[in-house]
Amino acid sequence: MTDELAPTWEEVAHRHGRKIYNFAYRLTGNPDDAADLVQEVLLRVRKGLPSYQPGSFDGWLWRITRNAFLDGIRKKKRRPESALPEGDHHSLGSSPSPDEVLSSIRLSDDVQSALLKLPYEFREAVVLCDVVGLAYDEIAEATDVPVGTVRSRIHRGRKLLRGMLTWPI
Amino acid sequence: MADLIFDPDAHGELFSAYLDGQLTPAEVVVVSELLDGDEDAIKEFLALRHVRTSLRLLPEFEVPAALLPDGHLGDRLSAYLDGELVTLEHRRVTKHLVDCSDCRAELQELDGARIAVRSLPGVDTTMTGEIAATPAPPRRRRIVAGGIGAAAAAALLVGLAVGGSGDPVFVLDDLATHHIARASAEPGFAVLPAAIELAAP
């Protein structure tokens, strides 16, 4: 999204708060951490909006979000922990039918656990792509790496997930 | 390209990016060639698609409502003081000012606000208590010009600054009605911008 004018703080909160919350939730598996991040990001957005230069708003917002998230991790000096549950994974078809969607929801805990096992760079790229829904160039801007690196990280993250979840096809 | 051999390490990344719609046209051609009858390539492609689909079908959590306040007013404060907000927006700002001590403080720091607030006559400091005790009336239509609403809110600020304590529950419509009646007859409001004066009935 490229905006000509900066939105208000209130608009950012309502348009993006949910995505920010889910970004942090999927990265940490922890709702408290997710709530903390939303508060911190919105505070930074409010402070930063007056100096925001029209351009890629999503890139700007997610760079703030990502930096706030990393700052939070540095402060807490801890890493999320979650055991990877054993097997009993359901098969997914090659395109999502209603049954497959339900199966996927049952699988969501397993997917979450597997996400937490990924190295941070891969996890971040995968979450920004598949949970937040950013394009590669927006992820590159948010994470301050070249687009080629983003592409590589997303693929390597998905490939690791595939190995962890060992879905039959 | 007919003899292109699939190499998971070299080509898997193309599949991921293809699924995301992030390939160049030339790369899309390569992917099409790889998927043309090569079972290993198709298997790899489908596996990556499963992973991607599962990630995208992860349920989305609702952000706790308490994390999404109404927001603060920022540069709308100046427009508010200048009487430049239309009635609907003006009411939103007024409502926010009742709830938000940060914005009330910011409003008071604006030079224009200082002039207006200093010029206001005293406000009955028991007003907050009276209002707090007033039960909320049913929603009703109110026809008020935006500028008068600004005066009412400015008077409200003085009331809060002088006599406010605790967390009184304000009833905006009644509050505005009280102050509109009072403000329209008081000389202090002459310092408000002409736009507000013109907006008065």
Side-chain angles (χ1 to χ4, degrees), chain A residues 1-8 11 15-16 49-58 60:
Chain A
M1 181 177 75
T2 300
D3 286 342
E4 290 296 322
L5 297 173
T8 65
E11 288 168 344
R15 282 185 201 162
H16 301 281
L49 271 178
S51 57
Y52 169 74
Q53 297 295 316
S56 170
F57 182 79
D58 278 3
W60 180 81

Side-chain angles (χ1 to χ4, degrees), chain B:
Chain B
M1 300 287 283
D3 57 352
L4 186 61
I5 304 299
F6 173 65
D7 175 351
D9 292 332
H11 298 131
E13 187 177 313
L14 287 179
F15 289 167
S16 273
Y18 174 81
L19 290 165
D20 294 329
Q22 300 280 320
L23 290 185
T24 64
E27 288 172 321
V28 171
V29 171
V30 173
V31 169
S32 298
E33 294 283 346
L34 290 167
L35 292 177
D36 186 14
D38 186 321
E39 289 187 6
D40 287 342
I42 293 171
K43 186 177 178 182
E44 178 76 7
F45 178 83
L46 291 177
L48 288 169
R49 191 166 74 170
H50 289 316
V51 173
R52 181 178 181 275
T53 300
S54 297
L55 287 164
R56 288 176 178 243
L57 288 176
L58 281 171
E60 193 172 55
F61 299 107
E62 286 292 342
V63 59
L67 296 175
L68 300 178
D70 288 340
H72 294 281
L73 300 169
D75 55 10
R76 279 184 291 173
L77 285 173
S78 289
Y80 179 79
L81 287 167
D82 292 340
E84 292 178 355
L85 297 182
V86 296
T87 302
L88 181 62
E89 177 72 354
H90 187 278
R91 289 194 64 183
R92 285 180 58 200
V93 170
T94 303
K95 183 178 187 309
H96 181 89
L97 285 169
V98 172
D99 296 333
C100 179
S101 59
D102 286 349
C103 285
R104 285 202 302 272
E106 192 173 343
L107 184 70
Q108 286 176 312
E109 286 175 5
L110 293 169
D111 286 344
R114 286 203 197 110
I115 294 170
V117 170
R118 283 177 191 160
S119 303
L120 289 171
V123 173
D124 182 354
T125 57
T126 64
M127 181 63 76
T128 55
E130 291 173 13
I131 293 167
T134 305
R139 182 176 284 277
R140 56 189 165 79
R141 193 164 60 92
R142 182 181 139 225
I143 303 172
V144 177
I148 286 299
L156 158 67
L157 294 179
V158 173
L160 289 173
V162 174
S165 65
D167 294 310
V169 177
F170 294 98
V171 181
L172 282 173
D173 279 1
D174 280 0
L175 187 63
T177 304
H178 272 96
H179 284 278
I180 288 159
R182 178 186 293 247
S184 61
E186 290 181 347
F189 283 81
V191 300
L192 289 172
I196 294 178
E197 296 284 350
L198 292 173

Side-chain angles (χ1 to χ4, degrees), chain A residues 138-160:
Chain A
E138 292 169 330
I139 297 171
E141 185 175 351
T143 57
D144 201 23
V145 296
V147 172
T149 303
V150 170
R151 185 165 109 168
S152 171
R153 286 178 177 176
I154 289 171
H155 173 64
R156 293 173 71 185
R158 287 176 181 161
K159 194 161 183 176
L160 285 171

Side-chain angles (χ1 to χ4, degrees), chain A residues 81-136:
Chain A
E81 292 180 9
S82 180
L84 183 63
E86 293 300 322
D88 194 26
H89 303 301
H90 297 268
S91 172
L92 286 177
S94 58
S95 62
S97 69
D99 282 348
E100 288 159 355
V101 171
L102 290 175
S103 294
S104 174
I105 291 173
R106 287 200 296 274
L107 271 172
S108 65
D109 288 348
D110 295 348
V111 176
Q112 176 68 66
S113 297
L115 265 177
L116 296 178
K117 297 279 187 185
L118 293 182
Y120 176 76
E121 288 79 8
F122 300 166
R123 193 180 349 144
E124 177 186 67
V126 164
V127 168
L128 285 172
C129 180
D130 290 325
V131 174
V132 177
L134 297 187
Y136 286 10

